[in-house]
């Protein structure tokens, strides 16, 4: 596919296209579309979070970590981003760092038993 396919359409059309590819488990294609969308609207959390998820599922963990940290900079109480960051750090073998984020995610989601166990 040409680059113009990924850049074609409004932001809403590209968002729908990216979600379609993500739901189809075409994570690399979804990330390619979302990358341009995030550049266009860097202040929006949802496209950046879906981009991080696409990177995570395609095992591009350093990129996923970068996007998740950016999400948390925009919205420090986004518990799913905190959970994803913890899981991303776990997959990189950084358990001590991961535990902090996993405890915070559990607390932010209201799961205080998991927060105490972690």
């Amino acid at each position: 596919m040409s680059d113009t396919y990924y850049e074609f359409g409004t932001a809403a059309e590209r968002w729908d296209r990216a979600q379609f590819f993500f739901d189809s488990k075409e994570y690399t294609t979804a990330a390619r579309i979302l990358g341009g969308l995030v550049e266009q609207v860097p202040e929006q959390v949802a496209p950046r979070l879906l981009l991080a998820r696409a990177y995570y599922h395609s095992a591009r963990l350093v990129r996923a970590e970068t996007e998740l940290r950016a999400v948390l900079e925009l919205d420090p109480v986004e518990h799913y981003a905190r959970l994803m960051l913890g899981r991303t750090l776990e997959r990189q073998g950084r358990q001590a760092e991961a535990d902090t984020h996993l405890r915070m995610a559990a607390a932010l989601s209201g799961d205080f038993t998991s927060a105490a166990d972690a």
Side-chain angles (χ1 to χ4, degrees):
M1 282 183 224
S2 70
D3 286 341
T4 57
Y5 175 76
Y6 300 103
E7 300 165 355
F8 179 75
T10 65
E13 290 168 336
R14 286 180 285 140
W15 170 250
D16 288 342
R17 190 177 308 126
Q19 287 183 309
F20 170 79
F21 281 108
F22 185 89
D23 292 343
S24 300
K25 297 184 174 102
E26 294 288 336
Y27 303 118
T28 303
T29 304
R32 189 168 177 184
I33 296 165
L34 288 162
L37 193 56
V38 165
E39 284 180 22
Q40 183 180 352
V41 287
E43 71 284 354
Q44 290 189 6
V45 170
R48 195 175 289 273
L49 185 55
L50 190 59
L51 176 59
R53 291 176 63 202
Y55 284 150
Y56 178 86
H57 287 297
S58 59
R60 294 186 281 177
L61 301 177
V62 173
R63 288 182 178 191
E65 179 184 351
T66 299
E67 293 303 325
L68 290 164
R69 290 188 187 279
V71 167
L72 291 170
E73 192 172 305
L74 293 168
D75 186 358
V77 295
E78 170 52 65
H79 78 277
Y80 189 70
R82 192 73 62 185
L83 174 66
M84 286 281 311
L85 180 56
R87 297 290 182 231
T88 299
L89 293 168
E90 277 183 330
R91 284 182 68 183
Q92 294 179 63
R94 297 160 58 189
Q95 191 63 50
E97 234 182 309
D99 288 343
T100 301
H101 293 285
L102 294 173
R103 279 192 301 274
M104 288 173 60
L108 289 169
S109 72
D111 184 4
F112 297 107
T113 57
S114 291
D117 294 339

